[in-house]
Amino acid sequence: MCSFVRAWHRRIIACIPAVFGIVAPDLDAQTTNLFWQAQNIYQIITDRFYDGDTNNDNAEGTYAPKNPTGVHGGDFEGIEQKLDYIKALGATAIWISPIVLNTEGQFHGYSGWNFYEVAPHWGSISNLQLMVQAAHARGLLVIDDIIVNHAGDLVTGSGRGYPNFNYPTGYALRYQNSAKTYPAPFNLTSANPALTNLFHNYGNIQNYNDSTQVVLGWLDGLNDFRTETPYVRSNMAAIYEYWIKQIGFDGFRVDTALEVDMGCWQSFCPAIHSYAAANGDTNFFMFAEADNGSETVVAPYTGTEAGGPFEFDSIVDYPLYDNVINSVFATASGATYLIQNHYDYVDTFYDPSSRMQLVTFLDNHDNPRFLSTSEADGDTNRLEVALVFLYTARGIPCLYYGTEQGFDGATDPDDREDMFAGEFKDGPSGAVLQLNSPGVDNFNMTHPLFLWIAQLNNFRRFYPALTLGSYFSQANSPTRPGLFAYSRVLNAQEVFVVF
């Protein structure tokens, strides 16, 4: 590769649909403080990825492979069996869905019941440990998706107006079924004799533009922890310190950050960083889901921008997604200036440590896939352009599983297809399979999109300017679709990208 680059010194290498100019390949080694900036992430919904052990499919009695919201069978052993596929794609880290035992055996993991137990339909704690060890042996980092904001839906309320948001009066709380309650540390004790000691009691969030409702209300009926209390804060830190110790996770993606009071994060994040560092991981990475398109709303969750202790290393870059990805790339209708406008906001409002390592994405489990009819109308040319941007622009790219196979599911749950030969929207089928139809295996390493992403990851691997380099805007179109160009520069190496 180096001889190829030297032969084309200061010339343009055609790389449809983008153009790369490569200069001077010899570079200094990566520095540890930029560790995560050099990574790229592959996001997995464990239940939908690969079924490595069919014996645990119905471990919680919720196996329903044709049901969009049922358990389909993917598990930790399945991920382990497909690590070489992920490695071949060029990913350096995997983000798995939450691991804890859920209230009703849910497939997704976001309805926690016992925060110290692994859900058995994904396998045992031993299976999880072996998967992480196998990933590490291949040089792959593992990120766990965690929830601090809420538990499941075992608690309900009563009173006039319930479940409408009612602050500060609130409602009386009770268990829906006294035979099924939360175990320690969120059980009732002499120290916490009432459910209101542990959970907010103001009803459901109705207005997401009202910060009081967002922080104190229940998200879709999920029991919202009273995270402003020292008891909840200290136990949440203890729970996730336990999982770092037991499993060896390299980072956390933290769900629903906007729905938790800022003081909790200023307690939780330093505690987790300190624990990880004390146990030998000085590069432990935490990035928050702050699902809002406003730069000024999400920026305070980075570093010390909220005016207190250091919080998150990064966020999932929803302002980029909401304001740029769909209009500029998916529908090809937006002015390319919108991209630079976002970067200008980042450089103004975000913590300096986070500005070049925001976690960027084209789609995920909460948003329609890029190729869905509502976004790009199945146009893989647009997807290829967007992927070049994802892997060469600022930030840590995060690819949602199946994008490399042309998956095109629309809104939840259709964007949570089976990657393995399951029975729900296998690949880019566009429709739920009929009863008794054979499934489709979607681990095709000769798929054009797979090969394209692998090539882009090779560019990132060979040219550190694409990961660690400074970013320089070169050209954009201020009012309509058109030219966009930038340079990534590290020491004597420059990569020039033109769309």
Side-chain angles (χ1 to χ4, degrees):
M1 189 67 177
C2 288
S3 60
F4 174 80
V5 173
R6 289 191 182 100
W8 286 82
H9 184 69
R10 293 191 179 278
R11 293 189 61 184
I12 299 299
I13 300 174
C15 188
I16 295 173
V19 175
F20 296 83
I22 311 295
V23 180
D26 298 321
L27 296 173
D28 296 333
Q30 168 190 307
T31 54
T32 55
N33 64 316
L34 299 174
F35 180 79
W36 278 93
Q37 193 173 316
Q39 310 305 323
N40 75 90
I41 302 168
Y42 185 74
Q43 181 194 354
I44 292 168
I45 294 181
T46 302
D47 177 68
R48 304 299 165 88
F49 192 62
Y50 193 68
D51 191 349
D53 180 6
T54 57
N55 293 319
N56 60 31
D57 288 353
N58 204 32
E60 296 176 65
T62 53
Y63 180 62
K66 295 181 177 66
N67 183 341
T69 61
V71 168
H72 292 184
D75 48 33
F76 302 134
E77 191 169 331
I79 295 174
E80 182 178 349
Q81 291 175 20
K82 293 299 181 181
L83 289 174
D84 289 335
Y85 168 90
I86 298 169
K87 184 74 173 177
L89 186 65
T92 63
I94 57 174
W95 152 16
I96 64 173
S97 50
I99 62 171
V100 300
L101 180 64
N102 276 210
T103 53
E104 304 297 335
Q106 285 94 332
F107 79 91
H108 48 70
Y110 295 98
S111 182
W113 178 19
N114 188 335
F115 284 74
Y116 279 106
E117 188 175 338
V118 169
H121 68 80
W122 293 314
S124 66
I125 190 171
S126 177
N127 294 139
L128 178 57
Q129 289 167 334
L130 289 171
M131 183 273 284
V132 172
Q133 291 166 11
H136 287 166
R138 290 167 172 79
L140 291 168
L141 304 162
V142 182
I143 300 162
D144 182 28
D145 201 331
I146 70 169
I147 306 99
V148 172
N149 175 64
H150 60 265
D153 56 358
L154 301 184
V155 173
T156 188
S158 61
R160 185 175 181 179
Y162 180 82
N164 294 329
F165 189 78
N166 180 14
Y167 175 82
T169 304
Y171 301 99
L173 297 182
R174 61 176 175 81
Y175 276 110
Q176 297 190 58
N177 180 355
S178 60
K180 188 168 186 177
T181 62
Y182 290 109
F186 304 121
N187 56 323
L188 296 180
T189 65
S190 58
N192 293 304
L195 289 168
T196 50
N197 292 117
L198 299 165
F199 302 101
H200 292 131
N201 65 326
Y202 307 115
N204 289 340
I205 303 169
Q206 293 175 286
N207 179 3
Y208 284 87
N209 294 317
D210 180 346
S211 60
T212 300
Q213 291 194 38
V214 169
V215 172
L216 300 180
W218 289 14
L219 177 67
D220 297 328
L222 295 169
N223 307 150
D224 197 74
F225 283 115
R226 199 172 283 274
T227 52
E228 66 270 28
T229 66
Y231 182 85
V232 171
R233 290 181 182 181
S234 61
N235 276 285
M236 278 298 177
I239 286 167
Y240 293 113
E241 288 168 1
Y242 168 84
W243 288 115
I244 293 172
K245 180 178 180 180
Q246 292 296 318
I247 308 301
F249 288 122
D250 304 288
F252 290 150
R253 179 268 191 183
V254 184
D255 187 64
T256 49
L258 295 177
E259 286 75 16
V260 175
D261 62 289
M262 196 70 77
C264 177
W265 297 133
Q266 292 174 342
S267 168
F268 179 84
C269 294
I272 295 297
H273 277 129
S274 178
Y275 182 85
N279 284 271
D281 189 354
T282 57
N283 290 318
F284 194 86
F285 187 63
M286 282 193 291
F287 61 104
E289 180 212 28
D291 187 353
N292 193 294
S294 169
E295 310 280 4
T296 55
V297 168
V298 304
Y301 293 83
T302 62
T304 59
E305 287 301 301
F310 192 97
E311 297 178 43
F312 295 101
D313 301 295
S314 179
I315 60 163
V316 180
D317 198 348
Y318 264 99
L320 178 71
Y321 175 79
D322 288 346
N323 303 321
V324 175
I325 295 300
N326 288 335
S327 66
V328 174
F329 293 99
T331 63
S333 60
T336 57
Y337 167 73
L338 293 171
I339 305 172
Q340 187 56 44
N341 189 53
H342 170 61
Y343 292 151
D344 291 343
Y345 274 116
V346 169
D347 291 339
T348 301
F349 295 111
Y350 292 61
D351 190 272
S353 66
S354 72
R355 292 173 186 171
M356 295 295 287
Q357 60 177 14
L358 301 181
V359 177
T360 56
F361 65 102
L362 304 182
D363 46 28
N364 61 28
H365 61 305
D366 290 324
N367 300 99
R369 289 190 179 271
F370 187 94
L371 285 177
S372 69
T373 302
S374 62
E375 301 299 341
D377 197 23
D379 190 335
T380 58
N381 290 326
R382 291 183 186 175
L383 176 56
E384 288 175 4
V385 173
L387 287 165
V388 174
F389 173 75
L390 183 70
Y391 285 101
T392 65
R394 295 169 54 159
I396 302 170
C398 182
L399 186 80
Y400 187 38
Y401 83 98
T403 296
E404 76 280 10
Q405 300 293 333
F407 278 25
D408 58 3
T411 56
D412 177 12
D414 291 342
D415 57 354
R416 303 177 179 192
E417 308 97 315
D418 292 340
M419 184 78 166
F420 62 100
E423 300 181 62
F424 178 67
K425 288 183 70 66
D426 301 87
S429 61
V432 178
L433 293 174
Q434 299 299 313
L435 292 175
N436 302 317
S437 338
V440 179
D441 190 306
N442 296 284
F443 295 93
N444 177 11
M445 290 193 285
T446 65
H447 192 291
L449 288 171
F450 182 99
L451 295 174
W452 181 239
I453 294 165
Q455 182 179 358
L456 291 170
N457 274 323
N458 267 335
F459 271 112
R460 288 173 59 85
R461 184 164 60 92
F462 279 113
Y463 303 107
L466 287 173
T467 57
L468 306 181
S470 300
Y471 169 90
F472 296 96
S473 174
Q474 300 290 5
N476 61 69
S477 178
T479 60
R480 60 185 181 182
L483 186 69
F484 190 71
Y486 51 89
S487 294
R488 302 295 306 276
V489 179
L490 181 67
N491 301 330
Q493 184 181 84
E494 177 177 5
V495 179
F496 180 60
V497 186
V498 181
F499 299 92

